mmCIF file of all heavy atoms in Angstrom:
data_model
loop_
_atom_site.group_PDB
_atom_site.id
_atom_site.type_symbol
_atom_site.label_atom_id
_atom_site.label_comp_id
_atom_site.label_asym_id
_atom_site.label_seq_id
_atom_site.Cartn_x
_atom_site.Cartn_y
_atom_site.Cartn_z
ATOM 1 N N ILE A 350 141.016 63.915 193.427
ATOM 2 C CA ILE A 350 139.582 63.856 193.121
ATOM 3 C C ILE A 350 138.809 63.766 194.436
ATOM 4 O O ILE A 350 139.159 63.003 195.332
ATOM 5 C CB ILE A 350 139.278 62.629 192.238
ATOM 6 C CG1 ILE A 350 139.964 62.755 190.867
ATOM 7 C CG2 ILE A 350 137.759 62.446 192.068
ATOM 8 C CD1 ILE A 350 139.464 63.894 190.012
ATOM 9 N N ARG A 351 137.715 64.564 194.536
ATOM 10 C CA ARG A 351 136.913 64.527 195.755
ATOM 11 C C ARG A 351 135.509 63.982 195.504
ATOM 12 O O ARG A 351 134.888 63.427 196.388
ATOM 13 C CB ARG A 351 136.804 65.935 196.372
ATOM 14 C CG ARG A 351 138.134 66.513 196.844
ATOM 15 C CD ARG A 351 138.676 65.779 198.068
ATOM 16 N NE ARG A 351 137.884 65.981 199.270
ATOM 17 C CZ ARG A 351 138.051 67.000 200.114
ATOM 18 N NH1 ARG A 351 138.971 67.913 199.898
ATOM 19 N NH2 ARG A 351 137.291 67.109 201.186
ATOM 20 N N PHE A 352 135.009 64.191 194.241
ATOM 21 C CA PHE A 352 133.621 63.809 193.976
ATOM 22 C C PHE A 352 133.530 62.873 192.762
ATOM 23 O O PHE A 352 134.256 63.035 191.778
ATOM 24 C CB PHE A 352 132.783 65.062 193.723
ATOM 25 C CG PHE A 352 131.412 64.754 193.179
ATOM 26 C CD1 PHE A 352 130.376 64.351 194.037
ATOM 27 C CD2 PHE A 352 131.153 64.836 191.810
ATOM 28 C CE1 PHE A 352 129.120 64.054 193.520
ATOM 29 C CE2 PHE A 352 129.886 64.538 191.306
ATOM 30 C CZ PHE A 352 128.874 64.140 192.157
ATOM 31 N N TYR A 353 132.600 61.909 192.843
ATOM 32 C CA TYR A 353 132.371 61.005 191.714
ATOM 33 C C TYR A 353 130.896 60.653 191.633
ATOM 34 O O TYR A 353 130.236 60.394 192.655
ATOM 35 C CB TYR A 353 133.173 59.709 191.896
ATOM 36 C CG TYR A 353 132.852 58.630 190.869
ATOM 37 C CD1 TYR A 353 133.641 58.465 189.727
ATOM 38 C CD2 TYR A 353 131.760 57.774 191.044
ATOM 39 C CE1 TYR A 353 133.353 57.484 188.781
ATOM 40 C CE2 TYR A 353 131.462 56.799 190.109
ATOM 41 C CZ TYR A 353 132.266 56.653 188.971
ATOM 42 O OH TYR A 353 131.977 55.695 188.055
ATOM 43 N N ALA A 354 130.359 60.650 190.396
ATOM 44 C CA ALA A 354 129.020 60.066 190.175
ATOM 45 C C ALA A 354 129.084 59.282 188.873
ATOM 46 O O ALA A 354 129.592 59.789 187.873
ATOM 47 C CB ALA A 354 127.954 61.144 190.094
ATOM 48 N N GLY A 355 128.640 58.027 188.874
ATOM 49 C CA GLY A 355 128.704 57.198 187.663
ATOM 50 C C GLY A 355 127.421 56.414 187.466
ATOM 51 O O GLY A 355 126.853 55.883 188.422
ATOM 52 N N ALA A 356 126.955 56.390 186.199
ATOM 53 C CA ALA A 356 125.787 55.559 185.868
ATOM 54 C C ALA A 356 126.276 54.405 184.995
ATOM 55 O O ALA A 356 127.147 54.594 184.141
ATOM 56 C CB ALA A 356 124.747 56.382 185.128
ATOM 57 N N PRO A 357 125.730 53.209 185.216
ATOM 58 C CA PRO A 357 126.244 52.035 184.515
ATOM 59 C C PRO A 357 125.862 52.010 183.031
ATOM 60 O O PRO A 357 124.796 52.488 182.652
ATOM 61 C CB PRO A 357 125.569 50.873 185.247
ATOM 62 C CG PRO A 357 124.308 51.440 185.781
ATOM 63 C CD PRO A 357 124.614 52.882 186.119
ATOM 64 N N LEU A 358 126.780 51.427 182.219
ATOM 65 C CA LEU A 358 126.489 51.152 180.814
ATOM 66 C C LEU A 358 126.131 49.673 180.748
ATOM 67 O O LEU A 358 127.003 48.819 180.920
ATOM 68 C CB LEU A 358 127.723 51.449 179.952
ATOM 69 C CG LEU A 358 128.284 52.878 180.088
ATOM 70 C CD1 LEU A 358 129.623 52.995 179.356
ATOM 71 C CD2 LEU A 358 127.280 53.890 179.549
ATOM 72 N N VAL A 359 124.867 49.386 180.559
ATOM 73 C CA VAL A 359 124.410 47.999 180.647
ATOM 74 C C VAL A 359 123.881 47.517 179.300
ATOM 75 O O VAL A 359 123.112 48.226 178.641
ATOM 76 C CB VAL A 359 123.279 47.857 181.700
ATOM 77 C CG1 VAL A 359 123.012 46.381 181.996
ATOM 78 C CG2 VAL A 359 123.661 48.586 182.970
ATOM 79 N N THR A 360 124.316 46.329 178.886
ATOM 80 C CA THR A 360 123.813 45.769 177.619
ATOM 81 C C THR A 360 122.420 45.202 177.837
ATOM 82 O O THR A 360 121.966 45.035 178.964
ATOM 83 C CB THR A 360 124.703 44.618 177.114
ATOM 84 O OG1 THR A 360 124.580 43.525 178.033
ATOM 85 C CG2 THR A 360 126.157 45.032 177.007
ATOM 86 N N ARG A 361 121.752 44.861 176.719
ATOM 87 C CA ARG A 361 120.413 44.263 176.806
ATOM 88 C C ARG A 361 120.447 42.962 177.602
ATOM 89 O O ARG A 361 119.473 42.575 178.212
ATOM 90 C CB ARG A 361 119.917 43.922 175.407
ATOM 91 C CG ARG A 361 119.418 45.129 174.667
ATOM 92 C CD ARG A 361 119.152 44.757 173.216
ATOM 93 N NE ARG A 361 119.175 45.967 172.412
ATOM 94 C CZ ARG A 361 118.114 46.724 172.210
ATOM 95 N NH1 ARG A 361 116.963 46.403 172.753
ATOM 96 N NH2 ARG A 361 118.205 47.821 171.488
ATOM 97 N N ASP A 362 121.616 42.288 177.529
ATOM 98 C CA ASP A 362 121.731 41.018 178.250
ATOM 99 C C ASP A 362 122.081 41.221 179.720
ATOM 100 O O ASP A 362 122.294 40.255 180.454
ATOM 101 C CB ASP A 362 122.820 40.138 177.617
ATOM 102 C CG ASP A 362 122.514 39.848 176.162
ATOM 103 O OD1 ASP A 362 121.311 39.816 175.823
ATOM 104 O OD2 ASP A 362 123.458 39.663 175.376
ATOM 105 N N GLY A 363 122.199 42.477 180.129
ATOM 106 C CA GLY A 363 122.424 42.755 181.529
ATOM 107 C C GLY A 363 123.892 42.820 181.945
ATOM 108 O O GLY A 363 124.205 42.832 183.136
ATOM 109 N N TYR A 364 124.804 42.852 180.987
ATOM 110 C CA TYR A 364 126.221 42.955 181.349
ATOM 111 C C TYR A 364 126.618 44.418 181.505
ATOM 112 O O TYR A 364 126.292 45.248 180.661
ATOM 113 C CB TYR A 364 127.103 42.317 180.276
ATOM 114 C CG TYR A 364 126.896 40.833 180.157
ATOM 115 C CD1 TYR A 364 126.410 40.269 178.986
ATOM 116 C CD2 TYR A 364 127.193 39.991 181.233
ATOM 117 C CE1 TYR A 364 126.214 38.904 178.878
ATOM 118 C CE2 TYR A 364 126.998 38.628 181.135
ATOM 119 C CZ TYR A 364 126.509 38.085 179.957
ATOM 120 O OH TYR A 364 126.314 36.745 179.862
ATOM 121 N N GLY A 365 127.342 44.718 182.587
ATOM 122 C CA GLY A 365 127.835 46.069 182.797
ATOM 123 C C GLY A 365 129.161 46.259 182.077
ATOM 124 O O GLY A 365 130.136 45.584 182.364
ATOM 125 N N LEU A 366 129.184 47.155 181.105
ATOM 126 C CA LEU A 366 130.410 47.354 180.319
ATOM 127 C C LEU A 366 131.332 48.359 180.983
ATOM 128 O O LEU A 366 132.532 48.331 180.779
ATOM 129 C CB LEU A 366 130.058 47.874 178.925
ATOM 130 C CG LEU A 366 129.126 47.022 178.070
ATOM 131 C CD1 LEU A 366 128.880 47.719 176.743
ATOM 132 C CD2 LEU A 366 129.739 45.640 177.843
ATOM 133 N N GLY A 367 130.740 49.281 181.783
ATOM 134 C CA GLY A 367 131.542 50.342 182.371
ATOM 135 C C GLY A 367 130.596 51.404 182.881
ATOM 136 O O GLY A 367 129.477 51.086 183.289
ATOM 137 N N ALA A 368 131.040 52.665 182.838
ATOM 138 C CA ALA A 368 130.210 53.730 183.387
ATOM 139 C C ALA A 368 130.354 55.013 182.594
ATOM 140 O O ALA A 368 131.385 55.251 181.970
ATOM 141 C CB ALA A 368 130.605 53.986 184.842
ATOM 142 N N LEU A 369 129.280 55.800 182.643
ATOM 143 C CA LEU A 369 129.405 57.196 182.238
ATOM 144 C C LEU A 369 129.556 57.956 183.545
ATOM 145 O O LEU A 369 128.695 57.855 184.430
ATOM 146 C CB LEU A 369 128.160 57.678 181.498
ATOM 147 C CG LEU A 369 128.168 59.193 181.253
ATOM 148 C CD1 LEU A 369 129.248 59.572 180.242
ATOM 149 C CD2 LEU A 369 126.816 59.691 180.810
ATOM 150 N N CYS A 370 130.678 58.680 183.700
ATOM 151 C CA CYS A 370 130.915 59.273 185.010
ATOM 152 C C CYS A 370 131.289 60.741 184.927
ATOM 153 O O CYS A 370 131.752 61.217 183.901
ATOM 154 C CB CYS A 370 132.016 58.505 185.735
ATOM 155 S SG CYS A 370 133.559 58.513 184.822
ATOM 156 N N VAL A 371 131.016 61.458 186.028
ATOM 157 C CA VAL A 371 131.491 62.834 186.172
ATOM 158 C C VAL A 371 132.314 62.912 187.455
ATOM 159 O O VAL A 371 132.009 62.222 188.427
ATOM 160 C CB VAL A 371 130.328 63.849 186.231
ATOM 161 C CG1 VAL A 371 129.717 64.048 184.858
ATOM 162 C CG2 VAL A 371 129.265 63.396 187.222
ATOM 163 N N LEU A 372 133.366 63.736 187.467
ATOM 164 C CA LEU A 372 134.241 63.833 188.629
ATOM 165 C C LEU A 372 134.543 65.298 188.931
ATOM 166 O O LEU A 372 134.539 66.129 188.021
ATOM 167 C CB LEU A 372 135.567 63.106 188.385
ATOM 168 C CG LEU A 372 135.521 61.593 188.171
ATOM 169 C CD1 LEU A 372 135.311 61.264 186.714
ATOM 170 C CD2 LEU A 372 136.783 60.943 188.700
ATOM 171 N N GLY A 373 134.792 65.573 190.213
ATOM 172 C CA GLY A 373 135.143 66.930 190.577
ATOM 173 C C GLY A 373 136.242 66.952 191.624
ATOM 174 O O GLY A 373 136.513 65.935 192.265
ATOM 175 N N THR A 374 136.851 68.123 191.803
ATOM 176 C CA THR A 374 137.948 68.228 192.763
ATOM 177 C C THR A 374 137.473 68.820 194.089
ATOM 178 O O THR A 374 138.257 69.081 194.986
ATOM 179 C CB THR A 374 139.089 69.089 192.191
ATOM 180 O OG1 THR A 374 138.512 70.289 191.676
ATOM 181 C CG2 THR A 374 139.822 68.372 191.084
ATOM 182 N N GLU A 375 136.148 69.074 194.170
ATOM 183 C CA GLU A 375 135.554 69.525 195.427
ATOM 184 C C GLU A 375 134.494 68.515 195.849
ATOM 185 O O GLU A 375 133.840 67.928 194.992
ATOM 186 C CB GLU A 375 134.846 70.879 195.227
ATOM 187 C CG GLU A 375 135.727 71.981 194.673
ATOM 188 C CD GLU A 375 136.801 72.402 195.665
ATOM 189 O OE1 GLU A 375 136.553 72.263 196.897
ATOM 190 O OE2 GLU A 375 137.881 72.834 195.226
ATOM 191 N N PRO A 376 134.254 68.361 197.171
ATOM 192 C CA PRO A 376 133.139 67.512 197.603
ATOM 193 C C PRO A 376 131.832 68.113 197.070
ATOM 194 O O PRO A 376 131.741 69.316 196.856
ATOM 195 C CB PRO A 376 133.178 67.598 199.131
ATOM 196 C CG PRO A 376 134.511 68.164 199.468
ATOM 197 C CD PRO A 376 134.985 68.951 198.302
ATOM 198 N N ARG A 377 130.864 67.243 196.829
ATOM 199 C CA ARG A 377 129.631 67.758 196.214
ATOM 200 C C ARG A 377 128.504 66.791 196.533
ATOM 201 O O ARG A 377 128.711 65.604 196.794
ATOM 202 C CB ARG A 377 129.839 67.814 194.706
ATOM 203 C CG ARG A 377 128.742 68.504 193.900
ATOM 204 C CD ARG A 377 129.100 68.331 192.419
ATOM 205 N NE ARG A 377 128.289 69.100 191.488
ATOM 206 C CZ ARG A 377 127.064 68.795 191.130
ATOM 207 N NH1 ARG A 377 126.457 67.740 191.673
ATOM 208 N NH2 ARG A 377 126.416 69.534 190.245
ATOM 209 N N SER A 378 127.263 67.281 196.512
ATOM 210 C CA SER A 378 126.134 66.364 196.650
ATOM 211 C C SER A 378 125.374 66.368 195.331
ATOM 212 O O SER A 378 125.628 67.203 194.472
ATOM 213 C CB SER A 378 125.227 66.810 197.794
ATOM 214 O OG SER A 378 124.797 68.135 197.510
ATOM 215 N N VAL A 379 124.462 65.423 195.168
ATOM 216 C CA VAL A 379 123.693 65.398 193.926
ATOM 217 C C VAL A 379 122.209 65.446 194.248
ATOM 218 O O VAL A 379 121.783 65.004 195.309
ATOM 219 C CB VAL A 379 123.964 64.114 193.104
ATOM 220 C CG1 VAL A 379 125.338 64.131 192.509
ATOM 221 C CG2 VAL A 379 123.751 62.884 193.962
ATOM 222 N N VAL A 380 121.439 65.973 193.297
ATOM 223 C CA VAL A 380 119.979 65.930 193.437
ATOM 224 C C VAL A 380 119.445 64.870 192.492
ATOM 225 O O VAL A 380 120.137 64.437 191.571
ATOM 226 C CB VAL A 380 119.335 67.310 193.144
ATOM 227 C CG1 VAL A 380 119.781 68.302 194.192
ATOM 228 C CG2 VAL A 380 119.696 67.773 191.738
ATOM 229 N N GLU A 381 118.218 64.471 192.739
ATOM 230 C CA GLU A 381 117.643 63.360 191.993
ATOM 231 C C GLU A 381 117.622 63.608 190.478
ATOM 232 O O GLU A 381 117.893 62.729 189.685
ATOM 233 C CB GLU A 381 116.227 63.111 192.489
ATOM 234 C CG GLU A 381 115.874 61.632 192.488
ATOM 235 C CD GLU A 381 114.672 61.401 193.372
ATOM 236 O OE1 GLU A 381 114.820 61.499 194.612
ATOM 237 O OE2 GLU A 381 113.602 61.171 192.806
ATOM 238 N N SER A 382 117.319 64.869 190.100
ATOM 239 C CA SER A 382 117.219 65.172 188.663
ATOM 240 C C SER A 382 118.580 64.990 187.982
ATOM 241 O O SER A 382 118.659 64.631 186.812
ATOM 242 C CB SER A 382 116.699 66.585 188.451
ATOM 243 O OG SER A 382 117.640 67.506 188.965
ATOM 244 N N GLU A 383 119.655 65.240 188.732
ATOM 245 C CA GLU A 383 120.998 65.051 188.156
ATOM 246 C C GLU A 383 121.265 63.570 187.897
ATOM 247 O O GLU A 383 121.814 63.191 186.862
ATOM 248 C CB GLU A 383 122.064 65.625 189.093
ATOM 249 C CG GLU A 383 122.114 67.148 189.073
ATOM 250 C CD GLU A 383 123.096 67.701 190.098
ATOM 251 O OE1 GLU A 383 123.239 67.087 191.187
ATOM 252 O OE2 GLU A 383 123.716 68.720 189.797
ATOM 253 N N ILE A 384 120.865 62.742 188.863
ATOM 254 C CA ILE A 384 121.056 61.299 188.690
ATOM 255 C C ILE A 384 120.242 60.796 187.498
ATOM 256 O O ILE A 384 120.713 60.015 186.683
ATOM 257 C CB ILE A 384 120.637 60.542 189.978
ATOM 258 C CG1 ILE A 384 121.606 60.863 191.102
ATOM 259 C CG2 ILE A 384 120.588 59.034 189.740
ATOM 260 C CD1 ILE A 384 123.039 60.455 190.827
ATOM 261 N N ALA A 385 119.013 61.329 187.367
ATOM 262 C CA ALA A 385 118.168 60.926 186.245
ATOM 263 C C ALA A 385 118.832 61.313 184.928
ATOM 264 O O ALA A 385 118.850 60.527 183.966
ATOM 265 C CB ALA A 385 116.789 61.566 186.366
ATOM 266 N N ALA A 386 119.405 62.532 184.899
ATOM 267 C CA ALA A 386 120.074 62.978 183.670
ATOM 268 C C ALA A 386 121.271 62.090 183.365
ATOM 269 O O ALA A 386 121.507 61.702 182.210
ATOM 270 C CB ALA A 386 120.520 64.428 183.819
ATOM 271 N N LEU A 387 122.028 61.726 184.391
ATOM 272 C CA LEU A 387 123.217 60.891 184.189
ATOM 273 C C LEU A 387 122.806 59.522 183.627
ATOM 274 O O LEU A 387 123.450 58.990 182.720
ATOM 275 C CB LEU A 387 123.967 60.726 185.513
ATOM 276 C CG LEU A 387 125.399 60.188 185.393
ATOM 277 C CD1 LEU A 387 126.281 61.155 184.620
ATOM 278 C CD2 LEU A 387 125.999 59.924 186.779
ATOM 279 N N LYS A 388 121.692 58.997 184.153
ATOM 280 C CA LYS A 388 121.204 57.709 183.654
ATOM 281 C C LYS A 388 120.768 57.826 182.190
ATOM 282 O O LYS A 388 121.040 56.940 181.378
ATOM 283 C CB LYS A 388 120.020 57.226 184.493
ATOM 284 C CG LYS A 388 120.406 56.588 185.818
ATOM 285 C CD LYS A 388 119.122 56.219 186.509
ATOM 286 C CE LYS A 388 119.289 55.233 187.643
ATOM 287 N NZ LYS A 388 118.015 55.095 188.367
ATOM 288 N N ASP A 389 120.099 58.926 181.871
ATOM 289 C CA ASP A 389 119.677 59.133 180.480
ATOM 290 C C ASP A 389 120.884 59.179 179.547
ATOM 291 O O ASP A 389 120.887 58.592 178.467
ATOM 292 C CB ASP A 389 118.898 60.450 180.340
ATOM 293 C CG ASP A 389 117.442 60.272 180.740
ATOM 294 O OD1 ASP A 389 117.025 59.094 180.907
ATOM 295 O OD2 ASP A 389 116.746 61.291 180.889
ATOM 296 N N LEU A 390 121.898 59.910 180.000
ATOM 297 C CA LEU A 390 123.092 60.026 179.153
ATOM 298 C C LEU A 390 123.765 58.663 178.988
ATOM 299 O O LEU A 390 124.252 58.325 177.907
ATOM 300 C CB LEU A 390 124.073 61.045 179.754
ATOM 301 C CG LEU A 390 123.591 62.509 179.697
ATOM 302 C CD1 LEU A 390 124.558 63.417 180.453
ATOM 303 C CD2 LEU A 390 123.460 62.974 178.244
ATOM 304 N N ALA A 391 123.775 57.881 180.071
ATOM 305 C CA ALA A 391 124.366 56.535 179.975
ATOM 306 C C ALA A 391 123.583 55.695 178.970
ATOM 307 O O ALA A 391 124.160 54.939 178.179
ATOM 308 C CB ALA A 391 124.381 55.854 181.339
ATOM 309 N N ALA A 392 122.241 55.873 178.987
ATOM 310 C CA ALA A 392 121.424 55.137 178.021
ATOM 311 C C ALA A 392 121.744 55.585 176.597
ATOM 312 O O ALA A 392 121.763 54.783 175.664
ATOM 313 C CB ALA A 392 119.944 55.337 178.319
#
Side-chain angles (χ1 to χ4, degrees):
I350 295 295
R351 296 291 292 273
F352 169 80
Y353 172 96
L358 304 171
V359 192
T360 67
R361 282 171 202 272
D362 301 331
Y364 295 117
L366 302 179
L369 171 69
C370 59
V371 285
L372 296 88
T374 49
E375 304 292 332
R377 188 185 189 283
S378 58
V379 289
V380 295
E381 216 162 288
S382 65
E383 285 175 326
I384 292 299
L387 195 63
K388 281 178 164 172
D389 278 349
L390 291 174

